[in-house]
Amino acid sequence: MRYVTAVVVLALAFVPVIASEPGQPLDCSDWVAVESGYSCSVYLATTTCDGWLNRWPGGNVEVDNEGRLLRIRPTGLDTPCGGATRTDVVVLQGGIETLIGYFSDRCISPITSGYIDSTENTTPCTSDEGVFKFDRIDGRLILPLISHGVNPPATVQWVAVINGFTSAAEIFQSFEPLQSALGFRVPAQPEGLPAADSFDTYHGNLATLPDWTQAQPLQCDYPQTSPSVGDYLTVADTLPDPAPGSGRYYVTAVHHQEETRFGRQFIGGALSGRNPETLPVCDWEPR
């Protein structure tokens, strides 16, 4: 039996996501992913206004690598503290709008007339609203935000990066702790190939790199039918945690017709594609 799924990241330790402390400005720990595979990281955080933050090259209309329109949508909320706002990241395709994830204002003290930790999609150091940029190469949304905390009063201007959109070429692998699964979104041109017929995912001991002959198959020749751009592929990772002081890597190879590719390498000051002939034959059967 073959499983329609597959792939991803580095493995050392994974901990559950915990929201920021009440009263403090919101940050990436407050990101709520509605769709699988989307995560948040901080590109920049500052309390001052200088340099390029004063010239943010943002816009309010972007298109991702799947041809979907991207939008940042403020949604009003009713809370015990009074009116609050949720900052939604949404995509529009074929007239259907899908919520990717959001940052939500947080009610702190309803009794003392509405203390709210809040965030807004406003260009750092300017008053422009509704601005963001889409990085087509890496498949990520770059989102300027201003977060306000109330205990004590504090304001942080920062830029969030929402990762997990379809990239142009790289296979960006990620790990979802709650599902113990590896996953990635099929790129528009996986590893520079015009399309993907199937994928193989391997794992191995970090200490053996860059000797790819010691890689071990995790899942082979998936999915059952040729994937489409933007498909989110996952595979269960049932391997035990690495021993203390050691680590594990995961790597995914893509096949298209007679070609196989699995990323690039930088050795001795030279950048080159990895040689697919160094990978063992992927021969995997589910247990």
Side-chain angles (χ1 to χ4, degrees):
M1 178 179 180
R2 297 169 72 188
Y3 289 68
V4 183
T5 46
V7 78
V8 25
V9 66
L10 83 160
L12 290 178
F14 302 96
V15 296
V17 175
I18 301 173
S20 61
E21 290 294 327
Q24 298 300 307
L26 303 178
D27 57 29
C28 268
S29 63
D30 299 292
W31 165 254
V32 178
V34 176
E35 293 285 308
S36 296
Y38 295 95
S39 63
C40 176
S41 58
V42 177
Y43 187 83
L44 175 72
T46 181
T47 57
T48 63
C49 287
D50 53 23
W52 63 270
L53 284 178
N54 292 309
R55 300 180 297 276
W56 177 261
N60 57 10
V61 175
E62 290 283 343
V63 179
D64 72 4
N65 287 325
E66 298 178 53
R68 305 179 300 180
L69 290 175
L70 300 177
R71 179 186 177 195
I72 306 303
R73 179 187 64 193
T75 298
L77 302 173
D78 290 327
T79 74
C81 292
T85 301
R86 195 180 73 186
T87 301
D88 296 341
V89 177
V90 297
V91 296
L92 178 67
Q93 186 174 43
I96 299 175
E97 191 172 75
T98 302
L99 176 65
I100 294 297
Y102 59 85
F103 295 95
S104 183
D105 291 354
R106 177 172 53 203
C107 176
I108 299 299
S109 181
I111 297 177
T112 54
S113 75
Y115 289 163
I116 298 177
D117 292 337
S118 64
T119 192
E120 56 187 309
N121 169 219
T122 300
T123 305
C125 305
T126 77
S127 59
D128 296 333
E129 296 184 354
V131 295
F132 57 96
K133 295 294 289 184
F134 184 70
D135 177 358
R136 294 183 180 278
I137 301 299
D138 292 339
R140 57 183 187 167
L141 183 69
I142 303 174
L143 178 65
L145 297 166
I146 296 180
S147 294
H148 306 277
V150 298
N151 186 27
T155 296
V156 174
Q157 302 171 87
W158 61 298
V159 179
V161 176
I162 307 303
N163 305 286
F165 290 87
T166 299
S167 67
E170 298 280 3
I171 298 175
F172 289 110
Q173 301 175 126
S174 60
F175 181 74
E176 298 197 30
L178 295 180
Q179 288 77 33
S180 293
L182 309 170
F184 67 95
R185 219 167 288 279
V186 177
Q189 293 184 302
E191 302 300 337
L193 295 172
D197 296 330
S198 65
F199 298 92
D200 296 331
T201 296
Y202 296 81
H203 68 89
N205 190 319
L206 284 174
T208 66
L209 290 178
D211 183 1
W212 300 102
T213 64
Q214 297 191 50
Q216 299 294 317
L218 184 66
Q219 186 160 326
C220 305
D221 193 25
Y222 63 86
Q224 290 182 320
T225 58
S226 296
S228 299
V229 173
D231 284 355
Y232 186 66
L233 306 181
T234 61
V235 62
D237 179 16
T238 58
L239 298 173
D241 291 340
S246 65
R248 179 186 303 125
Y249 69 82
Y250 297 86
V251 66
T252 293
V254 56
H255 304 286
H256 176 66
Q257 297 179 1
E258 300 301 317
E259 285 200 69
T260 298
R261 295 180 184 176
F262 73 113
R264 295 167 291 175
Q265 60 188 7
F266 191 74
I267 300 177
L271 182 66
S272 62
R274 295 175 184 146
N275 181 4
E277 293 182 0
T278 61
L279 281 174
V281 174
C282 199
D283 184 11
W284 172 89
E285 292 294 335
R287 296 177 178 83

